[in-house]
Amino acid sequence: MGLSPERTVAELRELQELTGDENGAQRVAWTETWERARQWLREKVVSTGADEEIDQAGNQWFTLPGASERALLLGGHIDSVPNGGWLDGCLNVLAAVEVLRRIAEDGTPPLTVRLVNWADEEGARFGRSLFGSSAAAGSMSDQDELRERRDADGIALPDALAEHGVGLDRALEARGQLDSAAAYLELHIEQGPVLESLDLPLGVVLGTFGVERHQVTFRGQAAHAGSTPMDQRRDALAGAAKLELEIREVAKRVGGGAVCTMGGVVTKPGIVTSVVETAECLLDQRHLDATWLAEMLSNAEAASRRFAHEEGIEVEWEKIWSIEPIPFDDRLLDLADESVREVAGSSHRLPSGPLHDAAEVARAGIPTVMLFVQSLRGLSHTKLEDTKEEHLELAVQALDRLTTKALEAFA
Ligand SMILES: [Zn+2]
């Protein structure tokens, strides 16, 4: 019967029907709805004869044995944010199911093929993204902190995981799952506007952005809004305002896809009758190249000191979080380009702003690549998330081609 991309689209609709409501997808990890989605997936895979295993971090694996025990991995996540879209995460799971069916029909593949449905990619309930993939990649190092995390109802993370048979302390044992991995492929919706603006259905992902996140605090002096002359103010918000405009110039200067965002500014005392004493800014900077990312950070730091000096205020930087850029595998990038060109005519390489499970796998040293399919209006994490059906079908075909090429190349 061969590959049936229309079936993938039909199954995506079926999953949406089963686990969504009028507000969107509700497959939040470590909930009953999520478990229902995993059960549904299990039933979909049965016909391929693949063996199922749930690892110590809750990742769901389906293994189709090949001539070699070394494995080509196809990954995705069936969990969603609350009120999420119908494609984020589950597209790659269901496209991979279709590819698995095709391979099972064709006979024994040269490499073992494994579909992994990563546990809790979104981190929607406990604020910890990439749970299952970071455990498997061996990069999870925040267990002590995770033990203390609670959801909005006050339920502790370890208790919620235990309900699904996962022990936080043992999660890192999932690491063994990547021992036999030869390569990792992931198809995802773009969740941004680039491919649509280029009028291209598909693109090849160069890697995931490195991220530098800081809290930048400007400190001046609270003073009466009526009695303090303009030239005698130490206005913390003036520093923040100058910095917000400057980071746009920094991103422009550095280029290469650089993005800088001041996502929030909290001012104190924050009343209409006082000059601002402290302005706490949240700054997020991203680039695919580590050197340029460092350059952006030092540019922003230098600018903030200059503005502090100009305004007679102080500035202090505190790191919130950072991650290095994670470039994907050159050989797989070429194979992905070929695959996309074969099904869609032309290809385009682009970086990924959001992090994905693929980044964790790549960090673990496994050759990795991702395909993006166009997102309409760039929207995601909302029920408005959408992709044309014909593009979804091309995406399934491209993943299938890429899988075939990777099976040959890594055998
Ligand atoms: Zn996703």
Side-chain angles (χ1 to χ4, degrees), residues 162-200:
E163 278 185 35
H164 299 269
V166 173
L168 181 60
D169 293 311
R170 293 196 54 204
L172 279 174
E173 292 171 31
R175 206 171 176 168
Q177 295 289 347
L178 295 186
D179 288 350
S180 60
Y184 176 85
L185 312 177
E186 184 171 328
L187 162 70
H188 206 281
I189 50 168
E190 183 198 339
Q191 305 176 286
V194 175
L195 291 173
E196 188 180 33
S197 69
L198 295 170
D199 202 15
L200 291 174

Side-chain angles (χ1 to χ4, degrees), residues 263-382:
V265 182
V266 175
T267 60
K268 290 176 190 153
I271 52 173
V272 73
T273 50
S274 175
V275 172
V276 171
E277 180 158 282
T278 63
E280 297 169 356
C281 315
L282 295 172
L283 181 61
D284 178 292
Q285 299 182 287
R286 304 185 188 213
H287 204 284
L288 191 60
D289 180 285
T291 311
W292 286 114
L293 181 60
E295 173 81 8
M296 284 161 66
L297 177 58
S298 79
N299 270 225
E301 275 172 340
S304 74
R305 304 209 189 282
R306 190 169 76 240
F307 301 144
H309 180 74
E310 288 168 8
E311 298 297 328
I313 57 181
E314 276 140 40
V315 67
E316 192 186 306
W317 283 64
E318 193 189 325
K319 179 177 279 206
I320 299 171
W321 183 74
S322 69
I323 188 169
E324 71 276 21
I326 300 165
F328 291 155
D329 183 75
D330 281 332
R331 186 149 63 129
L332 283 171
L333 285 171
D334 288 341
L335 297 180
D337 263 336
E338 272 178 33
S339 308
V340 168
R341 277 199 301 268
E342 283 170 18
V343 304
S346 56
S347 181
H348 176 74
R349 292 185 176 193
L350 70 169
S352 172
L355 280 169
H356 291 285
D357 294 308
E360 289 290 353
V361 181
R363 263 169 114 182
I366 293 158
T368 293
V369 78
M370 291 183 76
L371 297 175
F372 271 170
V373 61
Q374 186 190 109
S375 290
L376 291 172
R377 295 156 292 158
L379 295 175
S380 187
H381 285 193
T382 152

Side-chain angles (χ1 to χ4, degrees), residues 74-89:
L74 306 174
H77 63 93
I78 215 161
D79 72 300
S80 74
V81 295
N83 306 325
W86 69 297
L87 299 168
D88 182 2

